[in-house]
Amino acid sequence: MSPRAKQDILVAVVIYAVVGFLFAVTTSLSSDSALLPRMVLTLTAIVNTVDVWYIIAKDKQLRAEGVVESSRLPFGDAKMPMIVFIGSIAYTALFVATDYFIATAIMIVVYMLIEKVKPKWLIIVITVLYLAFIYYLFVVQLSVRLIR
């Protein structure tokens, strides 16, 4: 098995472990509350199984052709997922430190700047309209407390 296939299989095993742990956590929920998380976890396990099957089939095909894939992931392929992951962690930390509206406004602006949205005034308009809509819908109409 190629180093890349071994790496992908290892990631799949970690995903199975996380799904198993989260499935065990749902046992403490009531049956109605646990239904959606269990469905999502089951779907994740199925998709992961299909991915493992695809990895093994692709590895067999490449070995038959005599091609060996590198185990290294090019930085260009990993750059955007890493930015989104780090941004999600930063958003969560900012959300805990401030409130929904401040954290979301900063997140929207930063992601649009990363994606190079032009013209710049459009970033402000989209952010203000989105936050005004959320404020009106949840705070005014539904009386949800989003501001500390």
Side-chain angles (χ1 to χ4, degrees):
M1 191 171 274
S2 72
R4 176 108 185 217
K6 288 178 185 175
Q7 175 182 326
D8 291 345
I9 297 291
L10 178 65
V11 170
V13 168
V14 170
I15 291 172
Y16 281 129
V18 170
V19 165
F21 170 75
L22 292 175
F23 200 90
V25 168
T26 64
T27 58
S28 65
L29 300 173
S30 69
S31 62
D32 291 339
S33 298
L35 182 62
L36 181 63
R38 287 179 183 164
M39 286 173 36
V40 170
L41 291 170
T42 302
L43 182 63
T44 303
I46 291 169
V47 169
N48 197 39
T49 303
V50 170
D51 190 43
V52 167
W53 178 77
Y54 175 76
I55 290 166
I56 293 171
K58 182 179 176 187
D59 185 60
K60 284 181 181 178
Q61 178 189 8
L62 290 175
R63 273 191 293 143
E65 295 171 1
V67 178
V68 177
E69 285 187 301
S70 169
S71 65
R72 297 204 170 251
L73 180 66
F75 180 72
D77 292 348
K79 185 173 95 171
M80 204 57 196
M82 288 303 295
I83 289 172
V84 170
F85 178 71
I86 291 168
S88 298
I89 292 172
Y91 174 67
T92 303
L94 192 59
F95 189 96
V96 169
T98 61
D99 70 354
Y100 173 80
F101 290 103
I102 294 171
T104 303
I106 292 170
M107 185 223 26
I108 290 172
V109 169
V110 168
Y111 275 131
M112 286 191 180
L113 289 174
I114 288 171
E115 290 294 327
K116 299 178 177 96
V117 173
K118 304 255 176 167
K120 299 291 185 209
W121 62 266
L122 189 59
I123 296 172
I124 295 168
V125 169
I126 290 172
T127 304
V128 168
L129 288 176
Y130 172 77
L131 292 174
F133 174 74
I134 294 298
Y135 179 81
Y136 177 75
L137 181 66
F138 286 95
V139 176
V140 175
Q141 293 295 319
L142 298 175
S143 301
V144 175
R145 205 179 118 211
L146 294 177
I147 300 173
R148 292 182 192 166

